[in-house]
Amino acid sequence: MPSTPAKGAAATAALSKSNKPTPSPQPAQPPSLSPPPSDEKPQPPLRPVQTKPTQLARTARHALPALQAALFLARFRALVADPVAEMSMTLPVTAALQVTYALACLPVAGSSGGKGGDEAAAAGAGAGKKTATATATATAMPARLGSGKRKAAAAADGGMRKGATTAVLSLLLSALVTPFLYITMILFGAPFLTHGSHTLLCAAHMAVLALFPLFFVRGVDGRAWAALGGFAAPLDDTFGGLVGAVVGAWLGAVPIPLDWDRDWQRWPVTILAGLYAGYLLGRVVGGTVAWGKKF
Amino acid sequence: MAPSKSPPKPSSSASEYKAIAAQFAEAKRRKEAQDAQTKEQQERISLREKVRASIEASRKSAYQTRWVWTAAFWVWLLLIHVVGIAYFTSGFLLTRLVLDERSECAMPPTANSTVPDLLPSWPGKGTVEGGCWHPRTFDRAVVVIIDALRYDFTVPVDDDAAFHNAFPFLYETAVREPRKAFLRPFIADPPTATMQRLKGLTTGTLPTFVDVGNSFSGTAIDEDNLLMQFRAAGKRVVHLGDDTWEALFPSYFEGNLSRAYDSFNVWDLHTVDNGVIENIFPAMERRGEWDVLIGHCLGVDHAGHRYGPNHPEMTKKLQQMDRFIRDLAATIDDKTVLIVMGDHGMDSKGDHGGESEDEIEAALWMYSPKGVFGRTKPEYVTPPANAKIRPLNQIDFVPTLALLMGIPIPFNNLGRPIEESFAGAKGNSWANLAAAERVTAAGIKRYQTAYFAARGIAPSTGPGTPAELWEKAESLVSAAKKQDWAAIFDAFAAYQAKNLEVCRELWARFDVKNMLFGIAITALGVVVLLAYVSRGDDDDVVVEDEELELAEKSLALQGIKPDAAALADVAEKRLVSSALLGALPVFIGGVISAYVGKSGDWYRGSGIAALTSIAAVLVTMYELHEALPRFLPKTLWGWMAVVFTVSQSIGFASNSYTIWEDSILLFFIATFGFVSALAALRLPSLADRSLAIYHSVVFVILARVASFSKLCREEQMPYCTSTYYASATSSTSAPWQLLIPFVASVILPSIIKAYLQPTRAYEGLAPTWIGYIFRAVLFMSALYWLLDAADNGAWIPGLSETNALKNLNVYFAQMLLGIALVAGTTAFAWAPPCVAVRAAASPTDPSKAQVQIFGYANAHGARYLLLPLNLLAACFLLSKPMGAGALAIMAWQVLALLEILDLHNLGSSSIGPIMLAVLGTFHFFKTGHQAVVSTIQWDAAFIPLFSVRYPWSPLVVALNTFAGQILAAACVPLLVLWKAGPKRKGLLDAVSKALGAFVAYFATEGLATMMWAGHLRRHLMLYRVFCPRFMTAAVVLLVVDLVGVGVALTGTRCNTMSIGEVFGWAE
């Protein structure tokens, strides 16, 4: 479990810093979208993303994968029967689940990228969310933060808005990346002139599953993405999910040529199944036993 | 230089004179001293020069010695592969015992039976005149074989394909005059090659693989057969057409009327047919001079091979056949039977040889104006709409013709008489039918008894076995008072069918011991290769260390001569010696024991010799490293190499993965490119990063573009669309495809130049050879295919008829091959390195000149590249336009791969050779091939030749078939030599190791396919999928071995020598 003492210490240290007023009346411009710092200076290594230390986050990050897996299994028959219709129907559902997951568990990119600051912001946001939803939250709140309920609420509200904006931007980025995933699938041998919508929807699912959380926590930090792409980043929920999704989708191609004449061998059912299985497995493993490890 | 003498001054005093003299003497002495010093210096220089030369010479000779040992090691490996494959094949390819017994006219197989004959005695019984075993129906027979006449060519089909509805005569007569003619599907037993079919059609037996082996050498049939029986009965046989008959039945035919024509010139659609048609009608006039007339037309088959079935030429050919048979039928009298048949069908592209449905479904039509043919059921009058309904076995032709002509059925026959021929005109002569069936079945029974006796095995008994069925049928004959003829007929037919089934199984008898032996040899061969590749992983990386080189040289200059023996010492030497040591005694012992014991299996000696030889080598390897080498890779790249090779090898156990191999290879290529692009993100320099991503993306995109070139195998249908030819049912190129080679000839040389430019290696011979000659050869190859298409499509009226274009094209192709291979090899052998020496102003001090060597950094690679390019040019011509495009893409991909490997610093990783092997295999599929016999493009043999000539024709077909693998093998040294400067050491060793990894890929595949074919020997898909894949893998392995030694290693030697001459010996 991620709540090792060292990390906890880092988190508290960050928390104390974040007490300074967060400059967020204009959350429309998350700092994450600023250009990455120049590559000249030796950079500290990329740190794994830590999920928010709230109860809600803890529950969500275990419940959501189970929910996603259950949904996929429940709808598998429909997927086999009509892949395009089913994939276009489940795409918004998956996106909604992923957004929920991001808002509930993941730190927003920005002050961010696994640095201490964003964890604080994340904690704030999480806390704020809870306050806003008027549940009993005081347990998770450090006393210092709640010097005044209104102030805290305002900060929380800001964090929430920032999270929402980041989520929207990340979804947009995922949509932008989808054509590239589509092209990659074609290059791997997906049908070129036929089954266009099949492949495109599969690519969209991949983007929403594997890339959206990464956009949410890493923004468009070039250095982070170079590390992620080069498989040099430390494993965590998000990166584990990406690795799992890629490997799963790759392995998903294996049963296609078999002459079993099963309906589920239809394009791209196996890819999608591999993608979901790999992603969920990667996310869980990356967030737990393999957390912080590197390839 | 010379000390200036003081100019003599005008002087009057003696002292001055003395002073001058002294000065002069001084100067003279100084000069002499200096002269002496210079001389000494010169001597020293020349001495050093001599020492240097002797070092060079010793290094050179050491290199040559090492090269010889390395090559010897590879030859040894080749031998191991040959022995392993041969051993496995000897157990895997099926054999059948050939019996020498002959049927005799006076001795019907029913003679010894206690059960009475079914038919009352007929006049002339037991003689040829009356009919030996059955009453005779006809005096004469005319048998016309229309090669590759598929059943659907002869029946009405509701579409407008070029091959449908063009030959309606057979169907029309069968429908209009059912008593005079009938038409039925005629199923061939695979392999569907003409020679095997003729054996089946005359002996009535099933072909086995040993028959295949014999057929290529064209041995005469010595089993009992129809023609032998005709000759024994004193009948005169005339043959016209395909000369395969002459090879099978030498001196059987009447010399004055028979004409044989060359059968292998598939370009020639008309000579054989015209010969048959011109000679058959005069022969029909002289009917007193023959009893059996055989005509064998090849035009339909050749049209299929050359154009594919769906081509106007095929329509014309079938229409010609229609007219021919129409005219011929008009000349047939009441005493003569006319039989028209196909010996096999053709697949969707017009080829044959395998066992797909289209290949085995031929047609049989029998005709006699006498009106003797009947149908046992009224619905049988209309010929079947397709070949799945009421098919006949081709061997049924043998008893049918024998009984109709009154001769004995050949001893080995397994077929049954054809119902229509014996059912009587009304279709109710059940007694006649039952009698014919019984006498045939008795013959089969007699053969079975003799066969089992000869093999020394007991036939199985019990319910459902042939023995039981036979007893049942015989008891029916003897028991019933009023005989139920139909039941008797059915009982004997059931016996025949069951027996045929048993024979099919019986002759699928494998020698498992030999198969295991072959697998063991091949498997150990793979182990040796892996050990060889992974030996000394870290210590002998390719080094380019200037300081070390200088130190070594100065040591040598001081007179400390390096030990020549040590220089020439090489691991391969010890390996080869131990291999010989291990093999020779056993081999000689085996040969002697075979000779003394006359056991005849000397080859077992060579098998055991191979095993002991491998064992000796493995022991030596173990000693050399004093530890088992690590087979498991250490990096992600190494793992990828292992996964690609092993997963594919495992996949060959499944027919699906074997069938879809081309898509799987694309998937692997894309995976490598994808990983390499991602790994590029780890590179520190931005320039390297972008370059690596760029080359990876190019690598993958090119593979995907090439993947549009597809030639689907039957099993891939309906999920695959062939694009290699103009359509799925043709074997000519579409007009747009003719553009591909032209585009390639324009673009490819520029791309190669662009890959040489960054290292400034586009120097020396490169601009001339690549920029002009290579480009010109590619362009003219494109022109060749344009002219070829013009000839095929008769674009220029009047030219095709005269064959002028074809003749021109053959010489054109010969010239291009001459430039690419002969001139190209010569140029490669004599070319100086691709470098240029230029003087330029020094950047630091513009007043001083500086000598720059352009292309230094890639001196080895740029020069070696010329060799694969020559091969590429030859293969470019010999592949169809689509394949030429694929090969051009492959060349580009190889260059991209070299850059990727260089940027990732993977020079010594196994992923390079493995990717090259994957690329080569991928482009095997992209040049219009599949791992099935029918996709061999035999017509390629006629690109540079008019007729079949050995050894050139097989060589040309091999270059066409294995272009991808051959090119890849020739490119293996580039993995090491690319961007290697002239001072790099250990190149030979590195090349040999890279070759080892490359060959290991093919050896593993060969082993895997061998194991699977052996394991799945009872699988339904054995002959369709597993066996052809094994044969492909085996041939590819040997081809790759040969190219590895003959091109890659030899080319490396030649290259190193040339670089060494110019830059001094680094090795």
Side-chain angles (χ1 to χ4, degrees), chain B residues 367-665:
Chain B
Y367 172 81
S368 159
K370 200 172 168 185
V372 293
F373 300 123
R375 309 291 192 283
T376 52
K377 284 183 188 167
E379 63 263 33
Y380 289 172
V381 170
T382 312
N386 62 55
K388 309 288 178 297
I389 307 165
R390 298 187 67 229
L392 291 167
N393 275 317
Q394 284 202 340
I395 48 176
D396 297 347
F397 169 73
V398 173
T400 307
L401 186 64
L403 295 180
L404 287 177
M405 295 289 289
I407 58 164
I409 301 171
F411 190 79
N412 325 289
N413 166 60
L414 296 172
R416 54 178 289 204
I418 296 170
E419 208 175 284
E420 278 83 347
S421 308
F422 299 95
K426 290 183 182 143
N428 57 3
S429 306
W430 284 101
N432 191 39
L433 203 51
E437 187 74 48
R438 179 169 177 244
V439 79
T440 311
I444 295 172
K445 170 84 177 153
R446 189 172 64 172
Y447 170 65
Q448 282 307 303
T449 315
Y451 189 84
F452 280 113
R455 286 291 298 236
I457 40 179
S460 56
T461 49
T465 59
E468 197 248 1
L469 287 171
W470 171 258
E471 292 307 326
K472 219 159 86 183
E474 283 286 87
S475 66
L476 268 180
V477 176
S478 55
K481 269 268 173 275
K482 188 178 177 297
Q483 281 168 330
D484 183 357
W485 299 106
I488 295 174
F489 170 74
D490 286 343
F492 283 112
Y495 165 75
Q496 184 271 345
K498 183 72 199 172
N499 186 68
L500 192 60
E501 190 185 307
V502 169
C503 285
R504 285 220 165 98
E505 243 169 63
L506 182 75
W507 288 327
R509 185 180 290 273
F510 300 93
D511 188 339
V512 178
K513 207 166 61 184
N514 280 8
M515 283 160 66
L516 285 177
F517 212 48
I519 290 175
I521 294 172
T522 315
L524 284 172
V526 172
V527 172
V528 168
L529 256 182
L530 291 181
Y532 180 74
V533 171
S534 55
R535 104 201 119 95
D537 243 349
D538 305 312
D539 40 326
D540 58 2
V541 282
V542 179
V543 283
E544 186 166 19
D545 189 340
E546 295 284 343
E547 279 183 31
L548 189 72
E549 171 73 14
L550 276 177
E552 254 179 42
K553 277 214 168 146
S554 69
L555 266 183
L557 282 178
Q558 285 159 27
I560 305 164
K561 274 191 87 175
D563 188 1
L567 263 180
D569 185 38
V570 56
E572 282 85 356
K573 184 176 173 181
R574 274 182 270 174
L575 295 181
V576 173
S577 332
S578 56
L580 286 178
L581 213 65
L584 272 183
V586 185
F587 184 72
I588 293 170
V591 169
I592 290 175
S593 87
Y595 184 73
V596 172
K598 297 205 188 306
S599 56
D601 63 348
W602 56 271
Y603 57 87
R604 181 141 303 172
S606 65
I608 299 171
L611 280 182
T612 50
S613 178
I614 295 173
V617 167
L618 281 174
V619 168
T620 316
M621 279 192 170
Y622 183 74
E623 278 173 355
L624 282 179
H625 318 307
E626 296 173 348
L628 276 176
R630 279 194 308 268
F631 290 142
L632 283 186
K634 285 170 292 185
T635 61
L636 171 73
W637 302 103
W639 273 110
M640 265 166 65
V642 169
V643 167
F644 289 171
T645 313
V646 172
S647 65
Q648 216 192 339
S649 298
I650 295 173
F652 285 134
S654 144
N655 49 346
S656 312
Y657 290 124
T658 312
I659 290 164
W660 291 99
E661 196 181 347
D662 54 342
S663 305
I664 293 167
L665 291 170

Side-chain angles (χ1 to χ4, degrees), chain A residues 4 79 96 103 126 141 148-149 177 262-263 285:
Chain A
T4 55
L79 177 72
L103 290 177
M141 292 288 288
K149 253 214 158 149
V177 169
R262 300 299 161 89
D263 284 339
V285 171

